[in-house]
Amino acid sequence: MELPFAESYKIKMVEVIRRSTRAEREKWIQDARFNVFNLRSDQVFIDLLTDSGTGAMSDRQWSEMMLGDESYAGSSSYYKMKEAIRDIMGFEYFLPTHQGRAAENVLFSTMVKKGDLVPGNAHFDTTKGHIEFRRAEAIDCTIDEAFDTQISHPFKGNVDLGKLEHVLKSNPAERIPMIILTVTCNTSGGQPVSMENIKAVHSLAKKHGIPVVFDSARFAENAYFIKMREKGYGHRTIREIVREMYQYADVATMSSKKDAIVNMGGFIGFKDPELFRRASLYNIMFEGFITYGGMSGRDMNALAQGLYEGTEFDYLESRIRQVEYLWNRLNDLGIPVQQPVGGHAVFVDAKRFLPFVPASQFIAQTLVVELYLEAGVRGVEIGALMADRDPVTRENRYPSLELMRLTIPRRVYTNNHMEVVAVALKNIHDRKDSITTGYQIKHEASLLRHFTVELEKI
Ligand code: F0G
């Protein structure tokens, strides 16, 4: 018999989690105003809100914590991180930041101004938020296939080159400070961008003299998919693929809370020393001196170690096969999910799952609340709540996809936990015809409303 697959790690430390009763959950979600961000973590049994900062560090990362150098300037931890970024991604210059959106804040303060256009592949919400906050516009050029969950395209994070070229041709280059390539593309379902597409975006950008910025949160997962799905890459190592990817990036923003498997941290990588110098000013103002930028020395050490672990094939295989395990179970149970499997999460197509809830009543959010009530599982809405209002008209934006993201933390849960999630969704699916109403907004913030929105049941 062929031996079954098993994870390439064992567990050294555990954290107790607690099941709850449906009656408890009904009260808690009501108190949370039907916004799962307002739940206390001990009110959650299986937490699939995010894979960001929720991973389990390895024994080696924890030992690196002990070696952290907390000097204000020039600490050895800074140099360790610098060396890892140069070694893995090939950037000569970098600035540490406390997380990904801080990297965006520093970089966009340097590069983006009012009236600018920033094309890319389905910008993440903080990225879009930072662009719109500067009265600039994020233009989504993702391929159309990404917006049909039932089409199985191996690289649904790809940029539609026709759409991108149209933006580049119909606007002056001075208005386009950068093109952002998000690898993997979170918003379209943790879907990868192919090397071929990366190269093509880069050559279009160069033709127009525009820098390419990689939003790198899940760059290693992207490299894994290139290895597994793209012709000619099967025999290449993850690190080789990563190095090749970054030949086509001028700058990278990184939320290290994902593929560097740390609980907090981020950075910006630069090739151009002049841009690095200009951005350093904002880093000092917003984050901290350029050799710590919002991170402690111990965290920079763990991050450097995490970059190496996160780009090992065996780790990535264990990680993505767990996501695939849940994805396979849901497919088998007839639950509509984004095809094909993505890197960090399974995205449930809420419009197909709950066909009777009107779009104006927040379909994906309705499913998120149902799943919490059913089993204490916390997923997250990627739909109209997150899409927010149009910054000019203030009308609600209804994206073509209403998704519930089940985000799997790295090295945290077992497949038994995935099994609970699958069965909980099956139970809801069996009674989906009786779910016909959703929620309305009682209170919302003017930007990034989904974090703090208060809802009431219709
Ligand atoms: N870019 C991408 C693609 C992201 O997914 C995130 C965060 C960020 C940037 C911002 O990084 O959180 O460190 O400030 N994504 C988390 C998520 C929050 O749940 O998907 P951050």
Side-chain angles (χ1 to χ4, degrees):
M1 257 167 87
E2 195 185 330
L3 293 175
F5 179 78
E7 290 77 8
S8 61
Y9 52 84
K10 57 183 178 172
I11 297 164
K12 200 184 306 237
M13 189 187 279
V14 295
E15 181 177 345
V16 171
I17 51 176
R18 180 181 161 267
R19 264 180 288 251
S20 51
T21 64
R22 186 169 178 115
E24 283 175 323
R25 293 193 291 275
E26 275 169 2
K27 174 168 187 320
W28 292 336
I29 195 73
Q30 167 89 44
D31 292 348
R33 299 278 177 260
F34 302 100
N35 177 352
V36 292
F37 284 98
N38 291 334
L39 289 169
R40 295 170 52 123
S41 63
D42 58 7
Q43 295 168 339
V44 175
F45 180 45
I46 301 171
D47 204 347
L48 307 186
L49 183 73
T50 181
D51 63 326
S52 183
T54 53
M57 291 211 296
S58 68
D59 50 356
R60 284 166 195 238
Q61 284 179 291
W62 279 108
S63 59
E64 281 297 330
M65 298 284 278
M66 297 304 292
L67 300 172
D69 172 358
E70 305 304 338
S71 305
Y72 191 97
S75 88
S76 65
S77 302
Y78 165 81
Y79 288 103
K80 203 173 256 182
M81 186 166 154
K82 183 178 170 69
E83 189 44 43
I85 293 169
R86 182 177 21 216
D87 190 21
I88 290 171
M89 296 171 154
F91 289 107
E92 282 299 322
Y93 307 94
F94 95 102
L95 290 169
T97 63
H98 77 274
Q99 61 183 86
R101 69 200 67 184
E104 291 163 358
N105 186 32
V106 169
L107 185 69
F108 298 175
S109 295
T110 319
M111 296 180 77
V112 179
K113 59 182 190 314
K114 188 176 165 187
D116 280 353
L117 305 170
V118 183
N121 57 339
H123 313 63
F124 183 64
D125 60 343
T126 60
T127 319
K128 196 172 183 163
H130 271 294
I131 292 167
E132 291 177 352
F133 178 73
R134 292 173 170 79
R135 301 277 179 269
E137 194 187 334
I139 302 180
D140 184 5
C141 299
T142 316
I143 56 169
D144 290 336
E145 288 90 332
F147 305 105
D148 182 337
T149 58
Q150 302 312 298
I151 295 177
S152 191
H153 181 297
F155 292 100
K156 274 186 167 175
N158 278 359
V159 167
D160 182 322
L161 299 168
K163 289 184 196 172
L164 178 62
E165 187 150 32
H166 175 73
V167 177
L168 300 185
K169 275 192 171 154
S170 47
N171 295 284
E174 308 81 73
R175 274 189 75 194
I176 307 174
M178 61 177 75
I179 296 167
I180 298 183
L181 209 50
T182 310
V183 290
T184 58
C185 185
N186 187 355
T187 310
S188 75
Q191 300 288 329
V193 182
S194 71
M195 192 71 86
E196 189 187 6
N197 195 250
I198 291 175
K199 283 184 197 169
V201 168
H202 178 261
S203 80
L204 250 183
K206 291 303 116 177
K207 207 169 99 189
H208 293 263
I210 296 167
V212 178
V213 177
F214 282 11
D215 177 346
S216 307
R218 302 178 184 84
F219 74 99
E221 291 173 3
N222 199 93
Y224 175 86
F225 284 120
I226 289 176
K227 183 177 170 73
M228 305 307 276
R229 294 181 185 171
E230 192 161 350
K231 207 166 151 270
Y233 288 92
H235 64 286
R236 306 275 299 277
T237 68
I238 297 294
R239 298 237 176 90
E240 284 167 354
I241 296 171
V242 167
R243 276 307 277 263
E244 184 175 340
M245 282 166 60
Y246 281 92
Q247 281 175 23
Y248 304 105
D250 298 292
V251 185
T253 54
M254 175 73 183
S255 167
S256 307
K257 302 166 73 173
K258 284 82 164 175
D259 276 0
I261 331 177
V262 288
N263 304 118
M264 190 52 78
F267 61 85
I268 315 171
F270 302 88
K271 288 184 181 162
D272 174 7
E274 173 54 24
L275 185 61
F276 162 74
R277 207 180 50 76
R278 281 168 44 216
S280 297
L281 171 72
Y282 294 101
N283 216 66
I284 294 171
M285 279 204 311
F286 298 147
E287 293 294 297
F289 182 60
I290 58 169
T291 65
Y292 74 89
M295 294 187 71
S296 46
R298 61 182 86 94
D299 287 337
M300 290 195 278
N301 268 19
L303 198 166
Q305 171 65 21
L307 277 176
Y308 285 104
E309 290 178 19
T311 49
E312 273 168 19
F313 177 78
D314 287 356
Y315 152 74
L316 283 164
E317 187 184 31
S318 303
R319 151 88 178 140
I320 292 177
R321 282 182 74 136
Q322 180 167 58
V323 178
E324 202 168 11
Y325 178 90
L326 176 61
W327 183 85
N328 279 330
R329 286 293 286 131
L330 294 181
N331 274 311
D332 291 349
L333 293 168
I335 312 288
V337 294
Q338 167 80 306
Q339 306 290 327
V341 70
H344 66 299
V346 176
F347 287 64
V348 180
D349 185 334
K351 267 191 197 167
R352 284 175 197 267
F353 194 114
L354 295 178
F356 303 115
V357 178
S360 60
Q361 296 179 19
F362 305 109
I363 307 167
Q365 183 65 14
T366 305
L367 186 55
V368 167
V369 175
E370 283 298 323
L371 179 59
Y372 175 71
L373 288 171
E374 180 70 23
V377 175
R378 174 157 68 171
V380 69
E381 189 247 25
I382 310 240
L385 270 184
M386 188 193 252
D388 228 307
R389 291 178 188 272
D390 184 285
V392 180
T393 66
R394 303 305 298 158
E395 290 298 319
N396 275 316
R397 289 189 280 213
Y398 293 104
S400 49
L401 291 182
E402 281 281 340
L403 301 169
M404 173 175 69
R405 188 181 74 172
L406 303 169
T407 340
I408 321 287
R410 293 167 182 76
R411 307 189 286 210
V412 170
Y413 291 111
T414 68
N415 287 355
N416 284 334
H417 294 110
M418 299 302 116
E419 210 45 48
V420 171
V421 178
V423 172
L425 277 170
K426 166 82 170 94
N427 291 345
I428 301 167
H429 202 237
D430 286 347
R431 56 180 165 78
K432 68 180 193 323
D433 293 353
S434 65
I435 304 170
T436 55
T437 55
Y439 295 86
Q440 65 189 19
I441 293 177
K442 262 186 69 184
H443 173 78
E444 68 183 284
S446 59
L447 204 64
L448 298 173
R449 68 177 177 187
H450 60 289
F451 289 116
T452 53
V453 71
E454 294 182 4
L455 298 164
E456 62 190 1
K457 181 117 193 85
I458 290 175

mmCIF file of all heavy atoms in Angstrom, residues 50-52 99-101 104 124 126-127 182 186 215 217-218 255 257-258 405, ligand 1:
data_model
loop_
_atom_site.group_PDB
_atom_site.id
_atom_site.type_symbol
_atom_site.label_atom_id
_atom_site.label_comp_id
_atom_site.label_asym_id
_atom_site.label_seq_id
_atom_site.Cartn_x
_atom_site.Cartn_y
_atom_site.Cartn_z
ATOM 1 N N THR A 50 -8.985 34.457 10.244
ATOM 2 C CA THR A 50 -7.836 34.875 9.439
ATOM 3 C C THR A 50 -6.657 33.927 9.635
ATOM 4 O O THR A 50 -6.567 33.235 10.661
ATOM 5 C CB THR A 50 -7.412 36.319 9.798
ATOM 6 O OG1 THR A 50 -6.295 36.682 8.973
ATOM 7 C CG2 THR A 50 -7.024 36.461 11.244
ATOM 8 N N ASP A 51 -5.783 33.949 8.666
ATOM 9 C CA ASP A 51 -4.511 33.233 8.779
ATOM 10 C C ASP A 51 -3.408 34.235 9.119
ATOM 11 O O ASP A 51 -2.229 33.937 8.998
ATOM 12 C CB ASP A 51 -4.179 32.542 7.448
ATOM 13 C CG ASP A 51 -3.971 33.545 6.319
ATOM 14 O OD1 ASP A 51 -4.642 34.598 6.318
ATOM 15 O OD2 ASP A 51 -3.130 33.290 5.430
ATOM 16 N N SER A 52 -3.793 35.431 9.520
ATOM 17 C CA SER A 52 -2.844 36.520 9.701
ATOM 18 C C SER A 52 -2.408 36.638 11.150
ATOM 19 O O SER A 52 -3.195 37.024 12.024
ATOM 20 C CB SER A 52 -3.494 37.826 9.260
ATOM 21 O OG SER A 52 -2.574 38.875 9.369
ATOM 22 N N GLN A 99 3.376 45.837 10.556
ATOM 23 C CA GLN A 99 2.627 44.825 9.815
ATOM 24 C C GLN A 99 2.449 45.285 8.377
ATOM 25 O O GLN A 99 3.060 46.280 7.968
ATOM 26 C CB GLN A 99 1.305 44.464 10.504
ATOM 27 C CG GLN A 99 0.300 45.588 10.680
ATOM 28 C CD GLN A 99 -0.945 45.094 11.439
ATOM 29 O OE1 GLN A 99 -0.948 45.103 12.658
ATOM 30 N NE2 GLN A 99 -1.972 44.674 10.733
ATOM 31 N N GLY A 100 1.630 44.565 7.608
ATOM 32 C CA GLY A 100 1.536 44.832 6.179
ATOM 33 C C GLY A 100 0.966 46.193 5.835
ATOM 34 O O GLY A 100 1.457 46.899 4.952
ATOM 35 N N ARG A 101 -0.097 46.577 6.529
ATOM 36 C CA ARG A 101 -0.732 47.854 6.188
ATOM 37 C C ARG A 101 0.167 49.034 6.548
ATOM 38 O O ARG A 101 0.063 50.104 5.969
ATOM 39 C CB ARG A 101 -2.101 47.963 6.865
ATOM 40 C CG ARG A 101 -2.097 48.107 8.335
ATOM 41 C CD ARG A 101 -3.428 47.728 8.939
ATOM 42 N NE ARG A 101 -3.692 46.290 8.791
ATOM 43 C CZ ARG A 101 -4.808 45.691 9.153
ATOM 44 N NH1 ARG A 101 -5.800 46.387 9.668
ATOM 45 N NH2 ARG A 101 -4.968 44.385 8.999
ATOM 46 N N GLU A 104 2.240 49.477 3.644
ATOM 47 C CA GLU A 104 1.465 50.204 2.629
ATOM 48 C C GLU A 104 1.440 51.698 2.959
ATOM 49 O O GLU A 104 1.615 52.545 2.082
ATOM 50 C CB GLU A 104 0.015 49.670 2.591
ATOM 51 C CG GLU A 104 -0.073 48.249 2.048
ATOM 52 C CD GLU A 104 -1.393 47.554 2.369
ATOM 53 O OE1 GLU A 104 -2.259 48.149 3.063
ATOM 54 O OE2 GLU A 104 -1.558 46.392 1.936
ATOM 55 N N PHE A 124 -6.151 44.019 -1.866
ATOM 56 C CA PHE A 124 -6.687 43.691 -0.540
ATOM 57 C C PHE A 124 -7.323 44.945 0.077
ATOM 58 O O PHE A 124 -7.000 46.060 -0.309
ATOM 59 C CB PHE A 124 -5.564 43.151 0.358
ATOM 60 C CG PHE A 124 -6.084 42.744 1.709
ATOM 61 C CD1 PHE A 124 -6.992 41.693 1.825
ATOM 62 C CD2 PHE A 124 -5.700 43.421 2.847
ATOM 63 C CE1 PHE A 124 -7.506 41.338 3.071
ATOM 64 C CE2 PHE A 124 -6.210 43.064 4.099
ATOM 65 C CZ PHE A 124 -7.111 42.019 4.207
ATOM 66 N N THR A 126 -7.096 46.633 2.930
ATOM 67 C CA THR A 126 -6.281 47.710 3.532
ATOM 68 C C THR A 126 -5.494 48.447 2.440
ATOM 69 O O THR A 126 -5.250 49.653 2.551
ATOM 70 C CB THR A 126 -5.271 47.161 4.569
ATOM 71 O OG1 THR A 126 -4.381 46.236 3.921
ATOM 72 C CG2 THR A 126 -5.958 46.474 5.731
ATOM 73 N N THR A 127 -5.115 47.704 1.408
ATOM 74 C CA THR A 127 -4.381 48.313 0.294
ATOM 75 C C THR A 127 -5.285 49.335 -0.394
ATOM 76 O O THR A 127 -4.903 50.491 -0.618
ATOM 77 C CB THR A 127 -3.956 47.220 -0.715
ATOM 78 O OG1 THR A 127 -3.521 46.073 -0.003
ATOM 79 C CG2 THR A 127 -2.870 47.702 -1.639
ATOM 80 N N THR A 182 -0.796 41.272 -6.257
ATOM 81 C CA THR A 182 -0.981 40.619 -4.970
ATOM 82 C C THR A 182 -0.783 39.113 -5.156
ATOM 83 O O THR A 182 -1.519 38.488 -5.917
ATOM 84 C CB THR A 182 -2.387 40.925 -4.411
ATOM 85 O OG1 THR A 182 -2.595 42.330 -4.463
ATOM 86 C CG2 THR A 182 -2.535 40.462 -2.990
ATOM 87 N N ASN A 186 -5.593 37.407 -2.410
ATOM 88 C CA ASN A 186 -6.497 37.084 -1.300
ATOM 89 C C ASN A 186 -7.950 37.264 -1.714
ATOM 90 O O ASN A 186 -8.779 36.363 -1.553
ATOM 91 C CB ASN A 186 -6.135 38.021 -0.128
ATOM 92 C CG ASN A 186 -6.868 37.695 1.155
ATOM 93 O OD1 ASN A 186 -7.723 36.826 1.192
ATOM 94 N ND2 ASN A 186 -6.522 38.396 2.210
ATOM 95 N N ASP A 215 2.432 42.858 -3.510
ATOM 96 C CA ASP A 215 1.860 42.692 -2.177
ATOM 97 C C ASP A 215 2.119 41.228 -1.834
ATOM 98 O O ASP A 215 1.467 40.330 -2.357
ATOM 99 C CB ASP A 215 0.374 43.039 -2.213
ATOM 100 C CG ASP A 215 -0.297 42.812 -0.870
ATOM 101 O OD1 ASP A 215 0.306 42.156 -0.009
ATOM 102 O OD2 ASP A 215 -1.432 43.291 -0.692
ATOM 103 N N ALA A 217 2.178 39.157 0.933
ATOM 104 C CA ALA A 217 1.747 38.434 2.133
ATOM 105 C C ALA A 217 1.859 36.912 1.984
ATOM 106 O O ALA A 217 2.343 36.234 2.881
ATOM 107 C CB ALA A 217 0.320 38.836 2.494
ATOM 108 N N ARG A 218 1.433 36.384 0.831
ATOM 109 C CA ARG A 218 1.424 34.919 0.655
ATOM 110 C C ARG A 218 2.267 34.508 -0.553
ATOM 111 O O ARG A 218 1.872 33.672 -1.356
ATOM 112 C CB ARG A 218 -0.027 34.431 0.575
ATOM 113 C CG ARG A 218 -0.833 34.807 1.832
ATOM 114 C CD ARG A 218 -2.284 34.393 1.791
ATOM 115 N NE ARG A 218 -3.003 34.856 2.980
ATOM 116 C CZ ARG A 218 -3.536 36.074 3.116
ATOM 117 N NH1 ARG A 218 -3.448 36.967 2.130
ATOM 118 N NH2 ARG A 218 -4.167 36.406 4.228
ATOM 119 N N SER A 255 3.182 41.600 4.577
ATOM 120 C CA SER A 255 2.614 41.311 5.881
ATOM 121 C C SER A 255 3.211 39.984 6.313
ATOM 122 O O SER A 255 2.809 38.929 5.841
ATOM 123 C CB SER A 255 1.090 41.198 5.782
ATOM 124 O OG SER A 255 0.610 40.632 6.989
ATOM 125 N N LYS A 257 2.861 38.357 8.825
ATOM 126 C CA LYS A 257 1.971 37.565 9.657
ATOM 127 C C LYS A 257 1.395 36.365 8.906
ATOM 128 O O LYS A 257 0.713 35.540 9.489
ATOM 129 C CB LYS A 257 0.831 38.461 10.152
ATOM 130 C CG LYS A 257 1.348 39.668 10.932
ATOM 131 C CD LYS A 257 0.291 40.731 11.139
ATOM 132 C CE LYS A 257 -0.722 40.293 12.173
ATOM 133 N NZ LYS A 257 -1.658 41.408 12.500
ATOM 134 N N LYS A 258 1.650 36.325 7.612
ATOM 135 C CA LYS A 258 1.178 35.186 6.822
ATOM 136 C C LYS A 258 2.366 34.251 6.537
ATOM 137 O O LYS A 258 2.710 33.442 7.366
ATOM 138 C CB LYS A 258 0.537 35.677 5.508
ATOM 139 C CG LYS A 258 -0.861 36.270 5.692
ATOM 140 C CD LYS A 258 -0.827 37.694 6.139
ATOM 141 C CE LYS A 258 -2.156 38.398 5.951
ATOM 142 N NZ LYS A 258 -2.111 39.757 6.515
ATOM 143 N N ARG A 405 -15.069 33.399 3.788
ATOM 144 C CA ARG A 405 -13.723 32.847 3.786
ATOM 145 C C ARG A 405 -13.493 32.032 5.050
ATOM 146 O O ARG A 405 -13.696 32.526 6.161
ATOM 147 C CB ARG A 405 -12.710 33.999 3.722
ATOM 148 C CG ARG A 405 -11.299 33.523 3.533
ATOM 149 C CD ARG A 405 -10.321 34.682 3.503
ATOM 150 N NE ARG A 405 -10.130 35.237 4.840
ATOM 151 C CZ ARG A 405 -9.217 36.168 5.133
ATOM 152 N NH1 ARG A 405 -8.454 36.681 4.174
ATOM 153 N NH2 ARG A 405 -9.083 36.620 6.360
HETATM 154 N N1 F0G B 1 -2.123 42.430 1.778
HETATM 155 C C1 F0G B 1 -2.794 41.273 1.782
HETATM 156 C C2 F0G B 1 -2.898 40.458 0.530
HETATM 157 C C3 F0G B 1 -3.403 40.844 2.956
HETATM 158 O O1 F0G B 1 -4.083 39.709 2.957
HETATM 159 C C4 F0G B 1 -3.274 41.633 4.123
HETATM 160 C C5 F0G B 1 -3.901 41.238 5.369
HETATM 161 C C6 F0G B 1 -2.544 42.828 4.061
HETATM 162 C C7 F0G B 1 -1.982 43.183 2.862
HETATM 163 C C8 F0G B 1 -2.378 43.719 5.256
HETATM 164 O O2 F0G B 1 -1.502 43.155 6.151
HETATM 165 O O3 F0G B 1 -2.865 42.696 8.197
HETATM 166 O O4 F0G B 1 -0.376 42.738 8.271
HETATM 167 O O5 F0G B 1 -1.645 44.827 7.991
HETATM 168 N N2 F0G B 1 -4.727 40.320 5.456
HETATM 169 C C9 F0G B 1 -5.348 39.802 6.647
HETATM 170 C C10 F0G B 1 -6.413 38.839 6.241
HETATM 171 C C11 F0G B 1 -5.821 40.816 7.608
HETATM 172 O O6 F0G B 1 -7.163 38.411 7.136
HETATM 173 O O7 F0G B 1 -6.507 38.459 5.084
HETATM 174 P P1 F0G B 1 -1.610 43.369 7.746
#
